[in-house]
């Protein structure tokens, strides 16, 4: 199997093309698109090109390549029956012979242009007539004044001249209006004719993209080659539909792909593969460089941004500090500053990683590999110099799914996708997953009680993060987001609010007391869940205690509870230490009013009586913590 990239082909083309005359003239073929691997922003297309005729050397031109082709991605493969000697990409301009309807339009345009020219000349003639009358008036008036002074004025002749003058002005004005109207009409007709001609001749002159292959056919039997290339302006994203029956025993998961296809060629009856990887032209991965370090004085007191001061002395430090401001950035930074730096590093990492994959030669691969090493060195310096805040951010970001897994879904043959602006949807997978339905009540936030289902991905595919629509018993209940779910992993899907359930939170009692220098405040709360249906319903009731950032300053103690707090392992590990309370209870059928399901609990807060309890002034870190908890709740 032979595989030549365009760069290699161009390097040896001068040898391959000149070593001997071509035995057979070039033949133009299109081939057929048989395989498509669709990435997030590009696609790799494979055309099967038939090669017929006698054995020997020949030039094969594969025509009508798409507009969005990436030229340096072109390569060809041949089997034992045909050897690929060179591949190159070319463009050329072509045009069509004028058609009869175009000729007729050209004749009409010419006639209209001649009419417009005649009208323009007539308008110019009217201007000259007006100028002549002005000169005539300049002659008549002085002459009449002179004749009147001498007593020889011919009144009858003066009257005829005056009448003639005014009549001519009136005629000129009428003709000017008529000619201006004719000019507007002709211009409108010309514009319409030109527009029609442009519509008919659109695409008559165009650029053709072709692949020129120089091949050695080994035998006379028909054979074929595979021509592959990348195209841009296409991609896909996941989309889900979750359909649950009224009994809640199963959820049918429909995994779809929304496809954007504007490559410039249609894909008809192809073997389609969807991939989350990045297409790569380079076979070699990036190389790892040693991480060199040195000691430098800690000059954070002088440099609020944490600039490094060189160890060689103040003069060197003054010269190096501006360039080394970003070197020593592990300590004294807020969480938002660390996140900002990480975001920049991750963006550079993605850019250089893609560049390595698309590099076509040894020099470029090494250059982009060095850039990747430089980014990694900055990241490792965060680890080396980082204080507690920095390391906390690094740990939380390391557990994220920002890059996501590299997955491929082979949909098989028979998929057709036209090149068009509308999004097109294809089905990746459809399967039933066993589900455990329950309800979630958070009365401190809302009186509504929401349905949730815990599912386990029992399919043969990983599920990518993406939007979803939820249906219950055939009815649309809402939209949401699905996280990335591995095979065998559990996840949670919401199915909207249940109108037959209500929840509320009531403060039953509050008491204050002072013991020595401390104030102690005791609270008693009642959580009320009403079930208006005729079926008992499992509900997770969630509330919260205040969570003290510094336990030595504020002591918060949970007292008596009417129901046992949940022992769910994930809840106990992740949420209970943050002061969140959860009870897994069942609301009886028709439990409303006096029969409502009640949960009561007490807690106490003790602190120095000289202070009051206050919320933190900065909400940014707290919001990030909340978002992390929400992501964890979606995946079990």
């Amino acid at each position: 199997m032979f595989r030549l990239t365009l760069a290699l082909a161009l390097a040896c083309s001068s040898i391959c093309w000149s070593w001997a005359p071509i035995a057979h003239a070039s033949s133009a073929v299109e081939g057929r698109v048989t395989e498509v691997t669709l990435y997030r922003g590009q696609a790799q297309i494979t055309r099967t090109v038939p090669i017929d005729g006698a054995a020997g050397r020949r030039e094969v031109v594969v025509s009508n390549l798409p507009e969005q082709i990436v030229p340096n991605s072109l390569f060809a493969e041949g089997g034992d029956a045909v050897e690929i000697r060179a591949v190159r990409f070319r463009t050329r301009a072509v045009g069509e012979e004028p058609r009869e309807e175009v000729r007729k339009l050209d004749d009409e345009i010419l006639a209209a242009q001649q009419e417009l020219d005649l009208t323009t000349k007539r308008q110019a003639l009217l201007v000259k007539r007006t100028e002549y009358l002005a000169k005539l008036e300049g002659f008549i008036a002085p002459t009449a004044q002179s004749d009147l002074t001498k007593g020889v004025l011919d009144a009858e002749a003066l009257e005829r001249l005056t009448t003639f003058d005014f009549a001519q002005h009136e005629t000129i004005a009428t003709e000017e209006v008529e000619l201006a109207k004719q000019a507007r009409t002709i211009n409108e007709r010309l514009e319409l004719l030109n527009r029609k001609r442009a519509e008919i001749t659109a695409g008559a002159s165009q650029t053709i993209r072709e692949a020129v292959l120089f091949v050695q056919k080994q035998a006379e039997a028909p054979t074929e080659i595979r021509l592959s290339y990348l195209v841009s302006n296409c991609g896909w994203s996941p989309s889900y539909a979750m359909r649950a029956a009224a009994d809640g025993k199963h959820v049918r998961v429909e995994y779809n792909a929304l496809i954007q296809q504007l490559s410039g060629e249609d894909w008809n009856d192809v073997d389609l593969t969807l991939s989350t990887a990045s297409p790569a032209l380079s076979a070699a991965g990036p190389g790892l460089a040693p991480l060199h370090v040195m000691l430098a004085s800690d000059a954070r007191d002088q440099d609020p941004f944490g600039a490094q001061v060189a160890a060689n002395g103040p003069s060197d430090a003054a010269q190096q500090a501006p360039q080394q401001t970003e070197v020593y950035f592990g300590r004294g930074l807020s969480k938002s500053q660390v996140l900002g730096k990480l975001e920049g590093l991750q963006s550079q990492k993605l850019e250089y990683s893609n560049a390595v994959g698309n590099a076509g030669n040894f020099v470029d691969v090494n250059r982009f590999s060095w850039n990747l090493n430089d980014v990694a060195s900055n990241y490792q310096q965060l680890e080396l110099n980082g204080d507690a805040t920095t390391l906390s951010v690094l740990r939380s970001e390391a557990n994220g799914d920002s890059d996501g897994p590299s997955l491929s879904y082979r949909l098989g043959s028979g998929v057709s996708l036209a090149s068009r602006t509308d999004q097109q949807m294809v089905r990746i997978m459809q399967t039933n997953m066993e589900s455990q339905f329950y309800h979630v009540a958070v009365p401190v936030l809302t009186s509504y009680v929401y349905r949730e289902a815990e599912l386990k991905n029992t399919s043969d595919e990983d599920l990518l993060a993406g939007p979803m629509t939820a249906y219950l018993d055939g009815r649309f209940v809402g939209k949401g987001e699905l996280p990335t779910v591995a095979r065998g992993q559990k996840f949670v899907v919401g199915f909207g609010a249940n109108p037959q359930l209500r929840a509320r939170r009531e403060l039953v009692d509050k008491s204050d007391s002072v013991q020595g220098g401390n104030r102690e405040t005791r609270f008693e709360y009642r959580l009320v869940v009403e079930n208006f249906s005729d079926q008992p319903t499992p509900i997770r009731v969630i509330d919260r205690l205040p969570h003290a950032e510094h336990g030595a300053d504020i002591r918060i103690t949970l007292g008596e509870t009417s129901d046992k707090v949940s022992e769910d392992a994930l809840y106990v590990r992740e949420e209970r230490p943050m002061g969140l309370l959860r009870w897994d209870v069942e609301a009886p059928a028709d439990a409303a009013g006096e029969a409502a399901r009640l949960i009561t609990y007490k807690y106490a807060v003790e602190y120095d009586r000289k202070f009051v309890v206050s919320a933190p002034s900065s909400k940014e870190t707290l919001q990030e913590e909340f978002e992390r908890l929400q992501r964890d709740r979606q995946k079990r």
Side-chain angles (χ1 to χ4, degrees), residues 599-616:
I599 299 174
T600 60
Y601 71 94
K602 300 177 181 178
Y603 76 89
V605 181
E606 185 177 358
Y607 53 93
D608 191 323
R609 65 178 185 177
K610 293 183 294 184
F611 297 93
V612 295
V613 178
S614 175

Side-chain angles (χ1 to χ4, degrees), residues 350-525:
L350 179 61
E351 176 187 353
Y352 295 137
S353 179
N354 290 337
V356 168
N358 290 304
N361 55 66
F362 182 79
V363 174
D364 287 341
V365 169
N366 278 352
R367 177 163 55 90
F368 292 125
S369 292
W370 172 253
N371 291 337
L372 269 177
N373 274 278
D374 191 44
V375 171
S377 296
N378 287 335
Y379 186 91
Q380 286 186 269
Q381 283 202 348
L382 279 173
E383 297 175 337
L384 287 170
N385 297 326
D387 54 18
T389 300
T390 299
L391 295 179
S392 174
V393 175
L394 293 179
R395 291 191 188 100
S396 63
E397 290 298 306
N399 295 326
D401 296 323
S402 57
D403 293 336
S406 178
L407 304 174
S408 291
Y409 305 101
R410 184 166 184 175
L411 306 189
S413 60
V415 180
S416 296
L417 294 164
S419 178
R420 55 187 297 176
T421 56
D422 300 327
Q423 279 191 325
Q424 303 166 73
M425 187 174 73
V426 296
R427 178 68 51 79
I428 298 176
M429 177 194 69
Q430 178 176 293
T431 186
N432 288 332
M433 298 182 185
E434 292 187 2
S435 60
Q436 179 185 352
F437 267 78
Y438 55 88
H439 289 75
V440 176
V442 191
V444 71
L445 301 179
T446 177
S447 63
Y448 293 106
V449 180
Y450 287 82
R451 307 180 189 91
E452 288 187 355
E454 184 177 290
L455 292 81
K456 183 177 181 179
N457 183 9
T458 54
S459 72
D460 295 330
E461 303 287 357
D462 295 335
L463 306 180
L464 291 175
M468 70 154 201
T469 52
Y471 301 86
L472 181 63
D473 200 20
R475 293 178 294 106
F476 171 77
V477 294
K479 296 183 178 182
E481 291 282 336
L482 193 72
T484 297
V485 181
R487 282 167 285 182
Q489 185 178 12
K490 292 182 178 180
F491 62 102
V492 175
V493 176
F495 282 89
N498 189 336
Q500 293 186 299
L501 295 172
R502 286 289 187 274
R504 65 180 184 273
R505 181 176 186 263
E506 300 173 350
L507 175 60
V508 178
D509 187 43
K510 176 185 176 181
S511 61
D512 280 314
S513 63
V514 176
Q515 297 180 358
N518 287 346
R519 178 186 300 276
E520 184 180 60
T521 306
R522 296 183 174 272
F523 298 87
E524 180 179 356
Y525 282 93

Side-chain angles (χ1 to χ4, degrees), residues 615-619:
S617 57
S618 174
K619 299 294 194 299

Side-chain angles (χ1 to χ4, degrees), residues 128-140 165 169:
K128 290 185 177 181
R129 287 174 60 185
T130 303
E131 293 174 350
Y132 175 79
L133 289 175
K135 292 178 181 179
L136 184 61
E137 291 169 359
F139 169 77
I140 293 173
D165 182 66
H169 276 295

Side-chain angles (χ1 to χ4, degrees), residues 247-260:
D247 59 12
K249 293 182 179 179
H250 295 86
V251 173
R252 188 174 71 186
V253 179
E254 297 175 0
Y255 187 8
N256 303 309
L258 293 177
I259 295 177
Q260 175 196 6

